[in-house]
Amino acid sequence: MEKTINIQGVDVRYDVAGDGPRAVVVMHGWGCKASTVKVLTDACTDDSTTVYTLDLPGFGGSSEPAEVWGMEEYTAFLEDFVRKTGIERPVLVGHSFGGRMAIVYASRNETDRIILVDAAGIKPRRTLKYYTKVYTFKAAKRIAPLLIGKRRADALIERMRGRSGSSDYAQASPKMRAIMSRVVNQDLRHLMPAITAPTLLIWGENDTATPIANAKIMERLIPDAGLVAYSGAGHYSFLDRPAQTAAVIASFLNFKR
């Protein structure tokens, strides 16, 4: 069932599946939408669950935030969604960026269980090439307006962003680009020891966006965490291994099948 709700000025589209007493909230990754994670939604749908799958603010059928949000704002949005829909102690399922939200939420709110799928949250190690690119870009932002004027400089900077950024960045609106730049550098390691709920980590061993090394860090820092890794699978491990993912989640959530 498709529904909409307004939270913090954002019109949010979400799907509801099932009508069981146990609430599950599924959150997609950056640049995706609810339909992208349907495999996860289906895996979590059982006679005992009601599954809420969100189009996060700025994605799918949901409007963009009015301001440039960071993880605090996105997590406050999730907390408001949980309150307004009457959910108590949710099971949180987050892929990639959605995993960031689950980590922050679970570090300060009561939850039933957490499922992190190729989740973001560990700040990546940067190479010399990366820092060269960053400082070249910062220098251009400072000098170009003086040399060619503000209007032409703004156009030049946008072209540089498009060429050097990821495909997710290139396809995003200016507002969502600013949000992505803000959240991608937020390291959440300090929050992980505060997560008390049992946590399942599902990962692709060939994930290059959030490497398997990140999963091992999370497994070490989250007190009650266990890792399931798929050989040959990438950042969308649940799409590479849908049947295995469904079986792992059913076992973790104690479904009677």
Side-chain angles (χ1 to χ4, degrees):
M1 180 187 303
E2 181 176 327
K3 294 189 175 184
T4 59
I5 189 171
N6 187 278
I7 297 178
Q8 298 181 17
V10 176
D11 292 322
V12 179
R13 196 208 73 84
Y14 65 102
D15 297 322
V16 181
D19 60 0
R22 194 180 193 187
V24 182
V25 179
V26 180
M27 296 170 289
H28 60 76
W30 191 273
C32 300
K33 54 186 176 180
S35 60
T36 310
V37 291
K38 189 176 185 301
V39 165
L40 297 176
T41 298
D42 291 345
C44 294
T45 303
D46 178 75
D47 291 343
S48 65
T49 62
T50 299
V51 184
Y52 303 80
T53 310
L54 308 178
D55 277 352
L56 297 175
F59 303 100
S62 297
S63 61
E64 294 183 359
E67 306 296 333
V68 176
W69 282 10
M71 287 315 306
E72 176 58 36
E73 289 81 5
Y74 267 98
T75 306
F77 151 80
L78 177 58
E79 290 167 337
D80 281 352
F81 178 84
V82 168
R83 280 193 292 268
K84 285 191 174 184
T85 51
I87 294 172
E88 296 182 1
R89 297 186 71 248
V91 175
L92 295 182
V93 183
H95 172 245
S96 195
F97 174 69
R100 282 186 182 274
M101 295 176 63
I103 289 167
V104 181
Y105 182 99
S107 73
R108 66 194 198 199
N109 293 281
E110 190 175 2
T111 52
D112 181 343
R113 291 175 184 245
I114 310 297
I115 302 175
L116 301 177
V117 186
D118 301 291
I122 304 294
K123 187 174 181 178
R125 291 182 178 180
R126 304 302 192 182
T127 63
L128 177 60
K129 181 179 178 181
Y130 169 84
Y131 285 110
T132 299
K133 183 171 65 176
V134 167
Y135 289 119
T136 299
F137 180 76
K138 288 183 176 180
K141 283 184 69 176
R142 183 174 299 176
I143 297 170
L146 302 176
L147 298 177
I148 61 177
K150 186 177 184 306
R151 185 174 62 82
R152 293 175 62 192
D154 288 346
L156 172 65
I157 295 303
E158 280 304 304
R159 288 197 298 272
M160 290 178 67
R161 282 194 177 112
R163 287 196 299 267
S164 62
S166 66
S167 59
D168 284 341
Y169 186 90
Q171 294 169 14
S173 69
K175 174 73 65 61
M176 297 308 292
R177 287 181 180 181
I179 289 174
M180 184 179 184
S181 296
R182 185 176 176 189
V183 302
V184 75
N185 288 314
Q186 292 185 265
D187 196 302
L188 305 180
R189 270 179 276 203
H190 64 291
L191 299 178
M192 294 175 190
I195 297 175
T196 58
T199 301
L200 170 65
L201 307 169
I202 298 176
W203 234 268
E205 290 185 352
N206 293 349
D207 188 342
T208 56
T210 54
I212 188 70
N214 292 6
K216 293 176 180 179
I217 292 171
M218 292 183 187
E219 185 182 26
R220 186 176 72 249
L221 293 177
I222 298 172
D224 188 6
L227 171 63
V228 174
Y230 303 150
S231 62
H235 187 54
Y236 291 83
S237 61
F238 60 98
L239 296 180
D240 294 331
R241 301 286 190 277
Q244 192 171 351
T245 297
V248 168
I249 289 176
S251 175
F252 182 65
L253 297 182
N254 299 314
F255 290 164
K256 296 177 180 179
R257 293 178 178 174

